Each structure stands twice: as C-alpha cells, then as structure tokens.
Amino acid sequence: MARKKIIAGNWKMNMTPSEAVSLVETLKPLVVNDEVDVVFCVPAIDIIPATEAAKGTNINIGAENMYFEEKGAYTGEISPLMLKDAGVKYVIIGHSERREYFAETDETVNKKVLKAFEHGLTPIICCGESLTQREQGITIDWIRQQIKIAFLNVTADQAKTAVIAYEPIWAIGTGKVATTEQAEEVCAAIRVCIGEIYDQATAEAIRIQYGGSVSASSAPELFAQPNIDGGLVGGASLKPDFGKIVNYK
C-alpha cells in the first residue's frame, strides 16, 4: 500500500493567538487535499484557538514540543496530557532548534518519543546534520545514530505510525535546499536504518519527510522521490504559498 504523504507546517515562534486564527482562516480553502495529511504545528498558546478555527476541515493541529512527564514541577513545560486534551494529534520532537538552543539530546528525544506513543500522539521525529558534518562525510553515520537512539524501546507497531523529518540543519531558514538527490539519499538511508532496527514491513510503513527551505517550486520534485513522504515546512507554512505545497501535483 502506498504511503500517504504528510505535509506539516512548523510555525516556530510566530503568530499570536489572534494571528493564528486569521492564518488558519486564510489557509483553510487553500490546503484542501484529501490525498495528503495536513498538519499545522503551532506554538502552545495557539493550539486551542487554532484547533477551534480548523474544526470541520482537513487540517490537523500539532504541537512543536512537549515534555516527557505527565505533570509536575516543570515550570513552563507542556505535557502530553495537556496536548491530548486540547485535541492535538501530532507533536514535533527533537527539532534542530530545540537541540541547539535548548540543549535537547538524543536521549531526551527518546524519552519524549516514548511518552508521545504512550499517550496516542504521533511524533514527528527530527534528525539532520550540520554543514561541517556534511562536509566531513559523516551525514549518514550521524543520522543513523540519531534514529537508533530516538527509537530505543519503541515497538515495531509504534514505529510504523511515526513520522521522521530529515532536515539538513544547513538548509533550515537559509534558503539553501538540499538537492533532490541529497534529500532522497538520506531519506532512503533512514528507511534502511529502520529496516535494520525492525523489519522491512516497518521500514515500508514509516513516513519520512524532508524539511529545510521547502517551497512551492521545490516541493513537486522532492515529494516525487520514492523515499520522501512529504515535508516539514517552516517559513512557507505561514503564507498562502503553503496551499501550493500541499497541492504540489
């Protein structure tokens, strides 16, 4: 069975609650496409108003992060229980910006992934290499390590439902896009890695996105690749152009 494409917008730290509602209203008619799963991953404070605004549409609202405990003395954190109760289905875990600015590690990513599955949330698990790592020829080794630790103690049935987002760090917000060949090579290597951890069936089921300066012009060629099952879209997800990315065909 062919994997259904998943195209997710990562709003990052943009959009006040009222702006979020306005953006959802603007994008609603533009992102209609039953052939792909459409997700808006929004700041925590926007989740409830965005969910209300997206009711009755094909838009799923996701979160940009969560903590790996249900509740407790973790000032400023958001728990999986809160996300679930707010109607969230997807959560981005381990984005390179979280790793770089907020000291997230492969180990904390793994804890969050396990907790997301425990509460029926679908993790969008991020991996990617820096420019130095790519220039030193260790991209695949680096990403295999990130994937293997992220999926520690995750069952095959859980892994089949996960989403992996490959984002070369050097292409995020820079306007540089990995070539289609570079993106496909790494996404194919991720699928091989999942096959080694689990089995071929799990590798065939898991969805792997490409992220990093995805645009309306680059999306069709990227999404046509056999191992690229959609995109995690940053800046372009805040504009009407996101509709063109969702309807890339």
Side-chain angles (χ1 to χ4, degrees):
M1 196 177 83
R3 293 180 297 274
K4 190 177 186 182
K5 294 276 193 279
I6 176 165
I7 300 174
N10 174 14
W11 289 14
K12 307 192 179 185
M13 195 176 73
N14 293 294
M15 299 289 141
T16 64
S18 56
E19 288 170 342
V21 170
S22 175
L23 182 58
V24 171
E25 295 295 345
T26 300
L27 290 175
K28 259 188 209 179
L30 306 178
V31 298
V32 176
N33 184 347
D34 292 334
E35 291 181 18
V36 307
D37 287 331
V38 178
V39 187
F40 293 0
C41 293
V42 306
I45 199 168
D46 295 344
I47 287 170
I48 290 171
T51 301
E52 285 297 313
K55 268 197 177 138
T57 73
N58 63 315
I59 298 165
N60 295 289
I61 299 298
E64 297 180 14
N65 183 35
M66 66 164 221
Y67 198 53
F68 49 75
E69 299 288 356
E70 279 87 359
K71 58 184 175 181
Y74 306 105
T75 302
E77 289 294 328
I78 305 286
S79 84
L81 294 177
M82 295 171 189
L83 296 182
K84 195 82 179 154
D85 193 55
V88 165
K89 295 191 175 83
Y90 296 88
V91 56
I92 297 173
I93 293 177
H95 192 278
S96 62
E97 289 156 3
R98 297 291 319 167
R99 295 175 191 253
E100 182 180 353
Y101 305 135
F102 305 104
E104 292 202 10
T105 64
D106 291 338
E107 287 72 21
T108 58
V109 166
N110 175 241
K111 285 182 178 181
K112 291 181 180 190
V113 167
L114 292 170
K115 194 55 74 171
F117 280 125
E118 193 181 313
H119 292 283
L121 296 164
T122 299
I124 298 175
I125 303 160
C126 297
C127 61
E129 83 284 10
S130 67
L131 188 57
T132 304
Q133 287 157 346
R134 175 161 281 276
E135 286 172 346
Q136 293 306 310
I138 61 167
T139 294
I140 304 294
D141 293 337
W142 179 262
I143 282 162
R144 282 172 61 87
Q145 176 177 309
Q146 287 184 315
I147 294 299
K148 286 189 173 186
I149 297 174
F151 281 85
L152 195 62
N153 297 320
V154 172
T155 69
D157 284 342
Q158 289 171 330
K160 282 175 186 165
T161 68
V163 178
I164 296 172
Y166 164 57
E167 295 199 302
I169 297 166
W170 47 273
I172 299 173
T174 59
K176 289 181 185 172
V177 185
T179 65
T180 306
E181 293 73 26
Q182 286 172 326
E184 167 63 15
E185 178 193 19
V186 178
C187 290
I190 291 168
R191 204 173 299 286
V192 167
C193 186
I194 291 293
E196 289 171 11
I197 299 169
Y198 300 103
D199 51 39
Q200 197 56 36
T202 307
E204 287 299 325
I206 202 165
R207 294 189 289 180
I208 303 172
Q209 299 173 312
Y210 169 76
S213 300
V214 176
S215 66
S217 57
S218 65
E221 193 181 327
L222 283 165
F223 300 167
Q225 301 309 303
N227 288 292
I228 300 178
D229 306 313
L232 183 58
V233 183
S237 70
L238 302 168
K239 301 172 188 154
D241 254 19
F242 190 58
K244 295 177 187 167
I245 295 173
V246 168
N247 291 284
Y248 61 93
K249 284 181 181 172

